Amino acid sequence: MKYSSSMYQPLERVIVKHPADAFISQEHIGKEWRKVNYLSEPDYEEAQKEYAEFIALLEQHVPTIDYLPKSEEVSMDSIYAHDPVKFTPEGAIILKSGKALRQPEAEVYKKFLAEKGIPIIGELTGDATSDGGDIVWLDDRVLAVGNGYRTNAEAIRQIKEMTAHMVDEFIEVQLPHADGEEECLHLMSFISMVDQDLAVVYSPLMPVAFRKLLLSRGIQLIEVPKAEYDLLGCNVLAVAPRVCIMVAGNESTKQQLEQAGATVYEYKGEEISVKGTGGPTCLTSPAVRVPISEKRSLSHV
């Protein structure tokens, strides 16, 4: 089986974590939310309702949804299932978060993947730190990795080495300081690929060289306004080319996407996304995406 090396091909299998297993209870949230740097305290019951709406959208498009288990080893941040691993065509790379509180998630994930029979092609070692949110497949042979407070130079060196035979172009993107070390700024904070030639971006945070590179590749940029960036308007999950899910309330971004021919689904994400600054891409770890051409050929077998 070919695992995922795309951010926009049809999503066939995804890994998530339910808030019942991440947030656990209102009491647990009350003890943890400041420690993990949420904007405010999520409401446990409302979070479950929002998540049901989100999962219902996923179920319409994704045949296989795997749920990470509850674990006392990890924090409520573990609802953001994207960060502890990154998938390549041959399987997963186990990462080591640049946020110390999130580092135990990698071991839980490693056991989970082994139980599911999903191959692991490598694991960060030594001083290397990286979050999945800093690693973006522009297409199935081009990999961009952000160098910032969550992903360091040693991790980039190891990831480049592990993926060398799968990648034609490896792009290191220098991330800005922005609001400082405590803020969770990933490469995926300011870019979401929704098709090979369409990306949602927040240009004020983009390095000029990277923005120019996207334009030189013929990628149309959907520009997210500042107010919508703060509401996670730049965090858009493609479940297929130009079919995407985003947090409700980002009207300008939604309208621009629809004008570019995209179908947009929305979910109310105040508790599960906005308060923890983790949108639909953060809530999901795409394990398998199958290109449309391959899906068509399989349907004729």
Side-chain angles (χ1 to χ4, degrees), residues 1-4 87-92 118-121 162 165-166:
M1 177 185 290
K2 186 181 179 186
Y3 289 87
S4 185
F87 279 90
T88 74
E90 296 174 7
I118 296 173
I120 294 167
I121 68 155
M162 283 184 238
H165 62 292
M166 311 174 206

Side-chain angles (χ1 to χ4, degrees), residues 228-291:
E228 295 189 7
Y229 174 78
D230 293 339
L231 285 175
L232 305 180
C234 204
N235 196 301
V236 179
L237 174 68
V239 291
R242 294 181 198 241
V243 181
C244 51
I245 298 173
M246 65 187 300
V247 175
N250 293 292
E251 288 307 313
S252 171
T253 308
K254 179 186 177 185
Q255 187 176 18
Q256 290 180 74
L257 278 164
E258 290 176 340
Q259 287 170 350
T263 301
V264 181
Y265 298 92
E266 298 172 290
Y267 69 99
K268 185 173 180 287
E270 182 65 22
E271 311 302 322
I272 59 173
S273 289
V274 176
K275 289 182 178 179
T277 60
T281 63
C282 306
L283 289 167
T284 53
S285 184
V288 180
R289 289 183 183 267
V290 177

Side-chain angles (χ1 to χ4, degrees), residues 167-189:
V167 170
D168 295 331
E169 190 177 357
F170 188 98
I171 302 157
E172 182 175 342
V173 183
Q174 298 296 329
L175 300 187
H177 171 73
D179 291 329
E181 290 188 49
E182 294 307 309
E183 189 199 16
C184 180
L185 181 76
H186 287 135
L187 178 57
M188 287 172 63
S189 296

Side-chain angles (χ1 to χ4, degrees), residues 112-132:
F112 173 81
L113 295 177
E115 287 166 9
K116 293 288 181 181
I118 296 173
I120 294 167
I121 68 155
E123 186 171 356
L124 294 185
T125 59
D127 297 331
T129 61
S130 180
D131 286 358

Side-chain angles (χ1 to χ4, degrees), residues 17 19-22 24 44 67-74 78 108:
K17 188 165 186 181
D21 296 324
I24 299 172
Y44 180 69
Y67 288 84
L68 287 162
K70 183 187 289 187
S71 169
E72 293 180 6
E73 307 298 316
V74 301
S78 60
V108 173

Side-chain angles (χ1 to χ4, degrees), residues 134-154:
D134 277 330
I135 306 169
V136 173
W137 291 96
L138 297 184
D139 65 29
D140 61 0
R141 300 287 302 183
V142 179
L143 186 60
V145 183
N147 185 334
Y149 288 125
R150 295 296 183 89
T151 297
N152 63 18
E154 176 57 19

